[in-house]
Each structure stands twice: as structure tokens, then as C-alpha cells.
Amino acid sequence: MKTLRTLRDTSHNTALTAGLAVTMSALPLFAAHAQQAAPAAEEELPTVTVESEGSPDNTLEDTTGISRLPGRIQDMPQTVQVINQQTMQQQGVTTLEQALRNVPGVTVGIGEGGGGMNGDQFRIRGFQSKGDVYINGLRDFGVYVRDSFAYESVEVLKGPSSESFGAGTTGGVINSTLKQAHIGDKYDFEGQFGTGPLYRGVFDINKQLDETTAFRVVGMVNEQEVADRDHVESNRYGFMADLGFGLGTDQTLHLNYLYQNGSRTPDYGVPIVTPRFGDAVRFGSLGKPVTEYGVPRSTFYGKVTDHDDTEANMFTANLKREVNDWLTITNDSRIGYYTRNFSTSVAGCANAPNNVPNPTPTQYEATCTGQFFAGNDPAIAFGGGNPGFDQTSWSGQNVTTAIAKFDTGFLRHEVVAGLDIYTVDDERTLISVQGSKGTSTIWNPIYANTTDYYLYPNPLGNNGTRKSSATDFGAFVSDRIWLTDQLSVLGGIRYDSYSADYSVWCVDPNGTSTTCKDSDGKWVNADSTTQFSSPKASIIWEPTSNQTYYASWARSYSPQGMFPTNDITVVNPTQNNLEPEENETYEIGFKISTPDGRLGFTGSLFRVDKSNAFYVDPFTFDTVETGENQRVQGVELGVTGNITAAWVIQAGYAYYDSEIMTSTTDDYIGNAVPFVSENNFTLWTTYELTKGVLQIPGKLLVGAGVTYASEYFTNSANTAIIPETFSLDALVSYEYANYRVALNAYNLTDELNYSAGWGNRAVPSSGRTFTLTVGATF
């Protein structure tokens, strides 16, 4: 078995190396081409005017930026939403999470379990998407808060997409397209100042080197104290460089390096309290955050030692070769290296004594929750997974794709085929706490270290060192066949061979462990290997170039151990044979643009069924097979583009009906799926007053936005909720010549909202805040 695994891993690594070699071997070709194309020394480079780098207002005309998904958004038989550069700039977006607020149905989880926590933890249509974050179509395995300084756009593809992306993708895929070097010189500088306070600076410089080569560099510094959250900071700096060869020719190569350093306070929010007995009669039986009962939203239950220090390094090469008028070859490669040093304090307020699921009224009254509803100031408990860890991860991925367009008789084809290979390794060392963090209370938590406790690395303690790895070999092919000029069918399939390995250092001085039983310590190992095929089928009717109607079906899988950098236990030693989660989607929809292409409308009806759902328990670290079959179905509507030449709109509405179809706990059957908001609405609209209303020099723009999501449950028992979210935002900006200034206002009505949640906690978001942005472009 070990020999076979070694051979398999060696073959995968060899394939990755070969893919990178193919990309790098193209450099001499570009050098020769550039030398031939370069003008004589006395010649001046041609002057190139860059009209706009942003996507058109009608995002249906955009592309995904992913090589293996050719064509426009308009042509894809799937719900896709694009947040373009123009929208992100107008809204003052600084992170990926902020950009995704434009997408109805995307929620944020706090995360849990010694590494599967905090940082960007997204859900799409209620389904976990923490392993489905991509940059330029390649996986970003890091666990960190992603700044948007280097993003040209963000795309969300909803629904299972394993046929194109491999394991996961139950709810969908989040892809960020990086800024690239382009023909023409451009120098952009921007500063932001806001409530909190917030101080931020970004520069973006593009320099054309010769007729087909350019270099672009983007830098960012962000210093922020999060408004309305005591002691919570979010500081980071980053750098991106992109060197583009063969620009404007049939063979292009982009070499890109992205670096981000983050130093932030992990915010695990406030406890959710669930009343019992008489308190349930007075306050309702559903658990809610303590801030719903008068605790200030600024209240922070962490400690001064809490920190989240991260580094992300990614080197990416994107090669595209248009071989002829019917064949295009792309090769996308990435090497990633990530580090993280993390420590947190997680506050809880129980409504029952330990190991007493059904307390008596007297027992309940003595608990934290009982004391809280009695008007007292009870002590909180610190818990929730490991106190901290030091983590190092590296990854490599190569995707090679061929896109062929040809005819066979009266049939027209577009075939997409390729290989997708990646490997990822992760090692983390436990950081333990020596001493007690002291006593904090609900109303008066203590941030300072008053008990002289300290943190220390504990690699030889129980669960002190954990090593995990995963390797995937994927082969995919799809064929879109036009039966007529208007009617086509799309069929595709992907085969994956996925393996995961996990090792933990185990110490059991009391001899009570079922897996360890060693007082001196030993390694406990587990592995899992899975093969699966992910099919997709669609029928597409396009009566005109600006009308698309489709019906699609797809199946995807999520094997155990697919989040080696994001979960505490990748493969549990006692549960290493769990079947993968299986996800199936059905969707019918339309995408229609006005004849002039300025305004687009989208709509879809969908159903996603997920079987064999499992998760990692945050307290025992076991992989728990819930036995649940979950269903989410609903309707999604959108509008994008120009209502008039001056009026631009991006809006979306999603209605979700969710249900737990089967469960090992009978009481859960028929309940709503956790983290699914029933009603979701987003709106961003701007009007340029200098187009017909005001006759003044420059460009005066006003804008407004709305984000709404109804309440959602945080557990399968449906006993606790995150209340509804509503934010009204506004913009006033003015541009004159090379300069611009903008004032953004967020949450104008000062609503008590929550940016993230988990089973027993919620993170309050900021109240009314303002940001002033000044910029210059040359």
C-alpha cells in the first residue's frame, strides 16, 4: 500500500513539475518574439490610449476570467454573478468578504476547530464553500482575510461545479480575477480615511516595456480599528507584481506574484443565549445573541493575547496559446506558501450544566444563561476548540486545458478538455495556555491579562503536532454541440482520484484513549482514498445573441479530508472510510439583454440536494457523519447594466426554501438547513448627475445600496438564529481631470447587524460609518 501511494504521489508531483516546466519553457519564445518586434533604439513606442479596464455595466457581457470556462456569462447555463472593478471602487470595497455582499445568498461563518476557523469562511446557498475560493481559476488554499487590492473582478458561480473545478462546489465557486499588465502606461494612487479609524493606501502602476510586454505592480497598506468593536484591529499590507509577455498577440504569458501579510484580532463575536422554562415564555424559545438583549455591540470577549498573524505567497503563471482559428491551449500553474500564527479566546454562555442536556429549572437558573435573564452579570466560559496553533502550508496546482471549436457534418462543437492536478501539505503545532485567563462576565469582560497566563508552543502535548496532506488528479472533458444555430446541448464529466493523509502526535498518560494508549506519545496515522466522477448536462436555447434559456443538471462530491489547511482533523483515525458527500443540482433559467446590450436580466429556479453531510465537531475534533440529506431550492433574479446613459444598476434577489430531508435525529427532519436565509436582496445603483442634470465640469456621481438578508438558523435543531440584516449605504463622488474624491456612508440607519455566525455565537458588524477616498490617475 505504501509503495502504491509513493508511486501515485510521485506521479502527481512529476505532473505538476511538468506543467510548470511547460509554462516556463515558453519564456525564450517570448524573448525571441519581443526582440523581433522591438522597435529600433531611436524609435518611440506607440502611444496607446487605455479607454477602460473595467467590465461593461452589463456584466452578462463579461467573461469569468477562467481559461476552462470560455465565452460570455450570457452564454453559460448556470447562475453567475460578477462584481466588477467599477462597483468595487464605487463601494470602497477593501476585502473579498465586502465584495461578496453584492451577491444574495452568500453568508459568512465564523469557522471552528483549530484551523478551520476565522479568516474567510463563506457559504453559498447555505452550503460550506471554504474550499471553493479560487484566484484566476486556481485554488487559494490559504486561511486568511483576503484583501481586494489586487482584484480586477470577483465572480460567483452558483451550484455544484465539480465538472470544471473538482471536489467540493456544493453551493458554488468564488473566483477572483487578478489585475494584469496591459498595453499602455497608467499610474493610479488612492488613499482612504474612515471611521474606526481606518487608514489605507493603494498604488497601481502599469508600465509598457515594448510593443508586446508590460509590467504592473500594485501595493497596499491597511491600518484599521474596526468600528463599534472594542479592541478589534485589522492590519495588513500586500504587494502584487505581474509581468505580461506577448500582449495583443496569439500567445500570451503572465507571470504573477501575490503577497499579503495580515495582523488582526480574531473576532469570535458574542454568545448566543437560549432561554428555557419561564424565560422561554417571556423572551421566546429561540436563542439569540446577547446584543439583542441590551449588551453593547462593541463588547469584546477576547483577550489581549488573541492574534491572527498570516502570510500568503502565491506565484502564478498563466499561459495562453491560440494555435489556430479553432484550437486554443492554456496552462495555468501556481505554487502557494502560507504561514499562520493564531490564538483566540472563545466566550460561551451555557443554558445547562455540563453533560446535563435536560436540566431542571433549578439547575437552569444557576447557569450563565439563567443568571443573565435573571438580570445578573454571570461569568462566561472560555472554550471552543484549541486555544491556538502555528501553521505552515504549501500547495502546487497545474491546470492544462485545450479548447477546440470545429464542425462534424452539420453539427458545431466546442470541446473543453484537460488535466487538473494539485497537492497540498499542512503542518501545525499546538499553542497551549499556561495558567488561567481569569474571569470575565457578560456585561464586563476583561481584555487585559490580569492573571499572568502565557502562551507556549506544545508540539509534544496531546494533539500537539498535526500533519495533513491531500493530492488530487482530475481529468475533465465537455462538449457543447449546436444542433441548430439556436439549440445546443452541453455534456461534460470529470474524473477525480483524491487521497488525503493525516497524522497526529498523541499522548495518553491516563490510558483512556481508544486510538492512542501511550503515555510517552506516538504518531497516529490515517488515510483516505476516493475516486469519483462528476457529470453535467445542459440544454441551451438561444433564439437571438442576447437571449439564453437553459436547463441544467450536475452532480458533485466532497470527500473527507478535502480541506487540509482549513480543518483540524483532515482524516479521523477512527473514521477513515466515510463516503464523500454527494451533491446534485437541477436548474432552469434565462439570461436576457436588451437589443443594445446595455441592460441584462437573469432568472433561475433551482434545487440542490446534498446527501451524507458531515462536519468537524469543534470540541472533540471528530469528523461527524450527520446522516442528513439536505435540500435547498428557490428562485434567483437579477438585473445588471444601464437603465439610461446616466443610471446604472446592479440588483439581485434570492428566495431559498430549505429542508433537512433525513437525519439520524428524528426531531431534525423537516427543519430548515442551517445558515440559509429565506429572503436575500442586494442593490447598488448610481446616477451621473453631470449627464443632463447639472452642467458642470467633471463627473458628479451619486449612489445608493441596500443589503438585506432575513434571519437564519445556526444549527440543525433550529433552536438559535442570527437576526435579519439590513444596511442602507450611500455614495457621493466627484472626478475632475486626473483626480477623484468620494464619500461613502454605510449602514446609514445604524442597524444592529451581524457579519458572521456559528452555532452559539454571532459577530456584530459596525453601525453607521463613513469613508473618504481621494485618488489620482495619470
Side-chain angles (χ1 to χ4, degrees), residues 158-223:
K158 292 186 175 179
S161 303
S162 284
E163 180 268 330
S164 298
F165 295 94
T169 75
T170 308
V173 167
I174 299 166
N175 180 69
S176 300
T177 300
L178 294 178
K179 297 176 179 178
Q180 290 186 325
H182 57 82
I183 297 299
D185 294 346
K186 186 176 181 180
Y187 310 89
D188 188 88
F189 306 90
E190 188 173 273
Q192 283 184 308
F193 313 90
T195 311
L198 163 68
Y199 305 101
R200 179 180 174 87
V202 178
F203 69 85
D204 184 351
I205 298 173
N206 189 89
K207 180 64 178 177
Q208 181 177 346
L209 303 179
D210 61 36
E211 287 186 334
T212 63
T213 308
F215 179 71
R216 187 170 184 174
V217 59
V218 187
M220 170 276 303
V221 174
N222 189 99
E223 298 285 334

Coordinates of all heavy atoms in Angstrom, one line a residue, residues 158-223:
K158 N -22.8 29.8 -9.1 CA -23.6 29.1 -8.1 C -24.0 27.7 -8.6 O -24.2 27.5 -9.7 CB -24.9 30.0 -7.8 CG -24.6 31.3 -7.1 CD -25.9 32.0 -6.7 CE -25.6 33.2 -5.9 NZ -26.8 33.9 -5.5
G159 N -24.1 26.8 -7.6 CA -24.5 25.5 -7.9 C -23.3 24.6 -8.0 O -22.1 25.0 -8.3
P160 N -23.4 23.2 -7.8 CA -22.3 22.3 -8.0 C -21.6 22.5 -9.3 O -22.2 22.5 -10.4 CB -23.0 20.9 -7.9 CG -24.2 21.2 -7.0 CD -24.7 22.6 -7.4
S161 N -20.3 22.6 -9.3 CA -19.5 22.9 -10.4 C -18.2 22.0 -10.5 O -17.2 22.3 -11.0 CB -19.0 24.3 -10.4 OG -20.1 25.2 -10.4
S162 N -18.4 20.7 -10.0 CA -17.2 19.8 -10.0 C -16.8 19.4 -11.3 O -15.6 19.0 -11.5 CB -17.6 18.6 -9.1 OG -17.6 18.9 -7.8
E163 N -17.6 19.5 -12.3 CA -17.2 19.1 -13.7 C -16.1 20.0 -14.2 O -15.2 19.5 -14.9 CB -18.5 19.2 -14.6 CG -18.2 18.8 -16.1 CD -17.8 20.0 -16.9 OE1 -18.3 21.1 -16.6 OE2 -17.0 19.9 -17.9
S164 N -16.0 21.2 -13.7 CA -15.0 22.1 -14.1 C -13.9 22.3 -13.0 O -12.8 22.6 -13.3 CB -15.6 23.5 -14.4 OG -16.5 23.4 -15.5
F165 N -14.3 22.1 -11.7 CA -13.4 22.5 -10.6 C -13.0 21.3 -9.7 O -12.1 21.5 -8.9 CB -14.0 23.6 -9.8 CG -14.2 24.9 -10.5 CD1 -15.4 25.2 -11.1 CD2 -13.2 25.8 -10.6 CE1 -15.6 26.4 -11.8 CE2 -13.4 27.0 -11.3 CZ -14.6 27.3 -11.9
G166 N -13.6 20.2 -9.8 CA -13.3 19.1 -9.0 C -14.1 19.0 -7.7 O -15.2 19.5 -7.6
A167 N -13.4 18.5 -6.6 CA -14.1 18.2 -5.4 C -14.7 19.5 -4.8 O -14.2 20.6 -4.9 CB -13.2 17.6 -4.4
G168 N -15.8 19.3 -4.1 CA -16.5 20.5 -3.4 C -17.5 21.1 -4.3 O -18.3 20.5 -5.0
T169 N -17.6 22.4 -4.2 CA -18.5 23.3 -5.0 C -20.0 23.0 -4.8 O -20.8 23.2 -5.8 CB -18.1 23.2 -6.5 OG1 -18.6 22.0 -7.1 CG2 -16.7 23.4 -6.7
T170 N -20.4 22.5 -3.7 CA -21.8 22.3 -3.5 C -22.7 23.5 -3.7 O -23.6 23.5 -4.5 CB -22.1 21.8 -2.0 OG1 -21.2 20.7 -1.7 CG2 -23.5 21.3 -1.8
G171 N -22.3 24.6 -3.0 CA -23.1 25.8 -3.2 C -22.6 26.6 -4.4 O -23.4 27.4 -5.0
G172 N -21.3 26.4 -4.8 CA -20.8 27.2 -5.9 C -19.3 27.4 -5.7 O -18.6 26.8 -4.9
V173 N -18.8 28.4 -6.5 CA -17.4 28.7 -6.6 C -17.3 30.2 -6.5 O -18.0 31.0 -7.1 CB -16.8 28.2 -7.9 CG1 -15.4 28.8 -8.1 CG2 -16.7 26.6 -7.9
I174 N -16.3 30.7 -5.8 CA -15.9 32.1 -5.7 C -14.5 32.2 -6.4 O -13.6 31.6 -5.9 CB -15.8 32.6 -4.2 CG1 -17.2 32.4 -3.6 CG2 -15.4 34.0 -4.2 CD1 -17.1 32.6 -2.1
N175 N -14.5 33.0 -7.4 CA -13.2 33.2 -8.2 C -12.9 34.7 -8.2 O -13.8 35.6 -8.5 CB -13.3 32.7 -9.6 CG -12.0 32.9 -10.4 OD1 -11.0 32.3 -10.1 ND2 -12.1 33.8 -11.3
S176 N -11.7 35.1 -7.9 CA -11.2 36.4 -8.0 C -10.2 36.5 -9.2 O -9.3 35.7 -9.3 CB -10.5 36.9 -6.7 OG -11.4 36.9 -5.6
T177 N -10.4 37.5 -10.1 CA -9.6 37.7 -11.2 C -8.6 38.8 -10.9 O -9.0 39.9 -10.5 CB -10.3 38.0 -12.5 OG1 -11.2 37.0 -12.8 CG2 -9.4 38.3 -13.6
L178 N -7.3 38.5 -10.9 CA -6.3 39.5 -10.6 C -6.1 40.5 -11.7 O -6.3 40.2 -12.8 CB -4.9 38.7 -10.3 CG -4.9 37.8 -9.1 CD1 -3.5 37.2 -9.0 CD2 -5.2 38.5 -7.8
K179 N -5.6 41.7 -11.3 CA -5.2 42.7 -12.2 C -4.0 42.2 -13.0 O -3.1 41.5 -12.5 CB -4.8 44.0 -11.5 CG -6.0 44.6 -10.7 CD -5.5 45.8 -9.9 CE -6.7 46.4 -9.2 NZ -6.4 47.6 -8.4
Q180 N -3.9 42.5 -14.3 CA -2.8 42.1 -15.1 C -2.2 43.2 -15.8 O -2.8 44.3 -16.1 CB -3.3 41.1 -16.2 CG -3.8 39.7 -15.6 CD -4.1 38.7 -16.7 OE1 -4.7 39.1 -17.8 NE2 -3.8 37.4 -16.5
A181 N -0.9 43.0 -16.2 CA -0.2 44.0 -17.0 C -0.9 44.2 -18.4 O -1.4 43.2 -18.9 CB 1.2 43.6 -17.2
H182 N -0.9 45.4 -18.9 CA -1.6 45.7 -20.1 C -0.8 46.7 -20.9 O 0.1 47.4 -20.4 CB -3.0 46.2 -19.9 CG -3.1 47.4 -19.0 ND1 -2.9 48.7 -19.5 CD2 -3.3 47.5 -17.7 CE1 -3.0 49.5 -18.5 NE2 -3.3 48.9 -17.4
I183 N -1.2 46.8 -22.2 CA -0.5 47.8 -23.1 C -1.0 49.2 -22.7 O -2.1 49.4 -22.4 CB -0.9 47.5 -24.6 CG1 -0.4 46.1 -25.0 CG2 -0.4 48.6 -25.5 CD1 1.1 46.0 -24.9
G184 N 0.0 50.1 -22.6 CA -0.3 51.5 -22.2 C 0.2 51.7 -20.8 O 0.1 50.9 -19.9
D185 N 0.7 52.9 -20.6 CA 1.1 53.3 -19.2 C 0.0 53.9 -18.4 O -0.9 54.6 -18.9 CB 2.2 54.4 -19.3 CG 3.5 53.9 -20.0 OD1 3.6 52.6 -20.1 OD2 4.3 54.7 -20.4
K186 N 0.0 53.5 -17.1 CA -1.1 54.1 -16.2 C -0.5 54.1 -14.8 O 0.1 53.1 -14.4 CB -2.3 53.2 -16.3 CG -3.5 53.8 -15.5 CD -4.8 52.9 -15.7 CE -5.9 53.5 -14.9 NZ -7.2 52.7 -15.1
Y187 N -0.8 55.2 -14.1 CA -0.3 55.3 -12.7 C -1.5 55.8 -11.9 O -2.1 56.8 -12.1 CB 0.8 56.3 -12.6 CG 1.9 56.1 -13.6 CD1 1.9 56.7 -14.9 CD2 3.0 55.3 -13.3 CE1 2.9 56.5 -15.8 CE2 4.0 55.1 -14.2 CZ 3.9 55.7 -15.5 OH 5.0 55.4 -16.4
D188 N -1.8 55.0 -10.9 CA -3.0 55.2 -10.1 C -2.6 55.2 -8.6 O -1.9 54.3 -8.1 CB -4.1 54.2 -10.3 CG -5.4 54.6 -9.7 OD1 -6.2 55.3 -10.3 OD2 -5.7 54.1 -8.5
F189 N -3.1 56.2 -7.8 CA -2.8 56.3 -6.4 C -4.1 56.6 -5.7 O -4.9 57.4 -6.1 CB -1.8 57.4 -6.1 CG -0.5 57.2 -6.9 CD1 -0.4 57.8 -8.2 CD2 0.5 56.5 -6.4 CE1 0.8 57.7 -8.9 CE2 1.7 56.3 -7.2 CZ 1.8 56.9 -8.4
E190 N -4.3 56.0 -4.5 CA -5.6 56.1 -3.8 C -5.3 56.1 -2.3 O -4.6 55.2 -1.8 CB -6.6 55.1 -4.2 CG -8.0 55.3 -3.7 CD -9.0 54.3 -4.3 OE1 -9.5 54.6 -5.4 OE2 -9.1 53.2 -3.7
G191 N -6.0 56.9 -1.5 CA -6.0 56.9 -0.1 C -7.4 56.9 0.5 O -8.3 57.5 -0.1
Q192 N -7.6 56.1 1.6 CA -8.9 56.1 2.3 C -8.7 56.4 3.7 O -7.7 56.0 4.4 CB -9.5 54.7 2.1 CG -10.1 54.4 0.8 CD -10.8 53.0 0.8 OE1 -10.2 52.0 1.1 NE2 -12.0 53.0 0.4
F193 N -9.7 57.2 4.2 CA -9.7 57.5 5.7 C -11.1 57.4 6.2 O -12.1 57.8 5.5 CB -9.2 59.0 5.8 CG -8.0 59.3 5.1 CD1 -8.1 59.8 3.8 CD2 -6.8 59.1 5.6 CE1 -6.9 60.1 3.0 CE2 -5.6 59.4 4.9 CZ -5.7 59.9 3.6
G194 N -11.3 56.6 7.3 CA -12.6 56.3 7.7 C -12.8 56.1 9.2 O -11.9 56.2 10.0
T195 N -14.1 55.9 9.5 CA -14.5 55.6 10.9 C -13.7 54.4 11.4 O -13.5 53.4 10.7 CB -16.0 55.4 11.0 OG1 -16.6 56.4 10.3 CG2 -16.4 55.4 12.4
G196 N -13.3 54.5 12.7 CA -12.7 53.3 13.3 C -11.6 53.7 14.2 O -11.6 53.3 15.4
P197 N -10.4 54.3 13.8 CA -10.2 54.8 12.4 C -9.7 53.8 11.4 O -9.2 52.7 11.8 CB -9.2 55.9 12.7 CG -8.4 55.4 13.8 CD -9.3 54.6 14.7
L198 N -9.8 54.2 10.1 CA -9.3 53.4 9.0 C -8.3 54.3 8.2 O -8.7 55.5 7.9 CB -10.4 53.0 8.1 CG -10.0 52.5 6.7 CD1 -9.2 51.2 6.7 CD2 -11.2 52.3 5.8
Y199 N -7.1 53.8 8.0 CA -6.1 54.5 7.1 C -5.7 53.5 6.1 O -5.2 52.4 6.5 CB -4.9 55.0 7.9 CG -5.3 55.9 9.1 CD1 -5.4 55.4 10.4 CD2 -5.7 57.2 8.9 CE1 -5.7 56.2 11.5 CE2 -6.0 58.0 10.0 CZ -6.0 57.5 11.2 OH -6.4 58.3 12.3
R200 N -5.8 53.8 4.8 CA -5.5 52.8 3.8 C -4.9 53.6 2.6 O -5.3 54.7 2.2 CB -6.8 52.1 3.4 CG -6.6 51.1 2.2 CD -7.9 50.4 1.9 NE -7.8 49.5 0.8 CZ -7.5 48.3 0.8 NH1 -7.2 47.7 2.0 NH2 -7.5 47.5 -0.3
G201 N -3.9 52.9 2.0 CA -3.3 53.5 0.8 C -3.0 52.4 -0.2 O -2.6 51.3 0.1
V202 N -3.3 52.7 -1.5 CA -3.1 51.7 -2.6 C -2.4 52.4 -3.8 O -2.9 53.5 -4.1 CB -4.4 51.1 -3.1 CG1 -4.2 50.1 -4.2 CG2 -5.1 50.3 -1.9
F203 N -1.4 51.8 -4.4 CA -0.9 52.3 -5.6 C -1.0 51.2 -6.7 O -0.8 50.0 -6.4 CB 0.5 52.9 -5.5 CG 1.6 51.8 -5.2 CD1 2.2 51.1 -6.3 CD2 2.0 51.5 -3.9 CE1 3.1 50.1 -6.0 CE2 2.9 50.5 -3.7 CZ 3.5 49.8 -4.7
D204 N -1.1 51.6 -7.9 CA -1.3 50.7 -9.0 C -0.6 51.3 -10.2 O -1.1 52.3 -10.8 CB -2.8 50.5 -9.3 CG -3.1 49.4 -10.4 OD1 -2.1 49.0 -11.1 OD2 -4.2 49.1 -10.6
I205 N 0.5 50.7 -10.6 CA 1.4 51.3 -11.7 C 1.5 50.3 -12.8 O 1.9 49.1 -12.5 CB 2.8 51.7 -11.1 CG1 2.6 52.8 -10.1 CG2 3.7 52.2 -12.2 CD1 3.9 53.2 -9.4
N206 N 1.2 50.6 -14.0 CA 1.4 49.8 -15.2 C 2.4 50.5 -16.1 O 2.2 51.7 -16.5 CB 0.1 49.5 -15.9 CG 0.2 48.5 -17.0 OD1 0.1 47.3 -16.7 ND2 0.5 48.9 -18.2
K207 N 3.4 49.8 -16.6 CA 4.4 50.3 -17.5 C 4.6 49.4 -18.7 O 4.9 48.2 -18.5 CB 5.7 50.5 -16.7 CG 6.8 51.1 -17.6 CD 6.5 52.5 -18.1 CE 7.7 53.0 -18.9 NZ 7.3 54.4 -19.4
Q208 N 4.4 50.0 -19.9 CA 4.6 49.2 -21.1 C 6.1 49.2 -21.4 O 6.7 50.3 -21.4 CB 3.8 49.9 -22.3 CG 4.0 49.1 -23.6 CD 3.2 49.7 -24.7 OE1 2.3 50.6 -24.5 NE2 3.5 49.4 -25.9
L209 N 6.7 48.0 -21.6 CA 8.1 47.9 -21.8 C 8.5 47.9 -23.3 O 9.5 48.4 -23.6 CB 8.6 46.6 -21.1 CG 8.3 46.5 -19.6 CD1 8.8 45.2 -19.0 CD2 8.9 47.7 -18.8
D210 N 7.7 47.2 -24.1 CA 7.9 47.3 -25.5 C 6.5 47.0 -26.2 O 5.5 47.0 -25.5 CB 8.9 46.3 -26.0 CG 8.6 44.8 -25.7 OD1 7.5 44.5 -25.8 OD2 9.6 44.1 -25.5
E211 N 6.5 46.7 -27.4 CA 5.2 46.6 -28.1 C 4.3 45.5 -27.6 O 3.1 45.6 -27.7 CB 5.4 46.4 -29.6 CG 5.9 47.6 -30.3 CD 6.0 47.4 -31.8 OE1 6.1 46.2 -32.3 OE2 5.9 48.4 -32.6
T212 N 4.9 44.5 -27.0 CA 4.1 43.3 -26.5 C 4.3 43.0 -25.1 O 3.9 41.9 -24.6 CB 4.3 42.1 -27.4 OG1 5.7 41.7 -27.3 CG2 4.0 42.4 -28.9
T213 N 5.1 43.8 -24.4 CA 5.4 43.4 -23.0 C 5.1 44.6 -22.0 O 5.3 45.7 -22.4 CB 7.0 43.1 -22.9 OG1 7.3 42.1 -23.9 CG2 7.3 42.6 -21.5
A214 N 4.6 44.2 -20.9 CA 4.3 45.3 -19.9 C 4.5 44.7 -18.5 O 4.5 43.5 -18.3 CB 2.9 45.8 -20.1
F215 N 4.7 45.6 -17.5 CA 4.9 45.2 -16.1 C 3.9 46.0 -15.3 O 3.7 47.2 -15.5 CB 6.3 45.5 -15.7 CG 6.6 45.2 -14.3 CD1 6.6 43.9 -13.8 CD2 6.8 46.2 -13.3 CE1 6.9 43.5 -12.5 CE2 7.1 45.9 -12.0 CZ 7.1 44.6 -11.6
R216 N 3.3 45.4 -14.3 CA 2.3 46.0 -13.4 C 2.6 45.7 -12.0 O 2.9 44.5 -11.7 CB 0.9 45.6 -13.8 CG -0.2 46.4 -13.0 CD -1.6 46.1 -13.6 NE -2.6 46.9 -13.0 CZ -3.9 46.9 -13.4 NH1 -4.3 46.1 -14.4 NH2 -4.8 47.6 -12.8
V217 N 2.6 46.7 -11.1 CA 2.8 46.5 -9.7 C 1.7 47.2 -8.9 O 1.4 48.3 -9.2 CB 4.2 46.9 -9.3 CG1 4.4 48.4 -9.6 CG2 4.5 46.6 -7.8
V218 N 1.2 46.5 -7.9 CA 0.1 47.0 -7.1 C 0.5 46.8 -5.6 O 1.0 45.7 -5.3 CB -1.2 46.4 -7.3 CG1 -2.3 47.1 -6.6 CG2 -1.5 46.3 -8.8
G219 N 0.4 47.9 -4.8 CA 0.8 47.8 -3.4 C -0.3 48.3 -2.5 O -1.1 49.2 -2.9
M220 N -0.4 47.8 -1.3 CA -1.5 48.2 -0.4 C -1.0 48.2 1.1 O -0.2 47.3 1.5 CB -2.6 47.2 -0.5 CG -3.8 47.3 0.5 SD -3.4 46.4 2.1 CE -3.2 44.7 1.5
V221 N -1.4 49.2 1.9 CA -1.2 49.2 3.3 C -2.6 49.5 3.9 O -3.3 50.5 3.5 CB -0.2 50.2 3.8 CG1 -0.2 50.3 5.3 CG2 1.2 49.9 3.2
N222 N -3.0 48.8 4.9 CA -4.3 48.9 5.6 C -4.1 48.9 7.1 O -3.7 47.9 7.6 CB -5.3 47.8 5.1 CG -6.7 48.1 5.5 OD1 -7.5 48.6 4.8 ND2 -7.1 47.7 6.8
E223 N -4.4 50.0 7.8 CA -4.4 50.0 9.2 C -5.8 50.4 9.7 O -6.3 51.4 9.3 CB -3.4 51.1 9.7 CG -2.0 50.8 9.3 CD -1.4 49.7 10.1 OE1 -1.8 49.4 11.3 OE2 -0.4 49.0 9.6

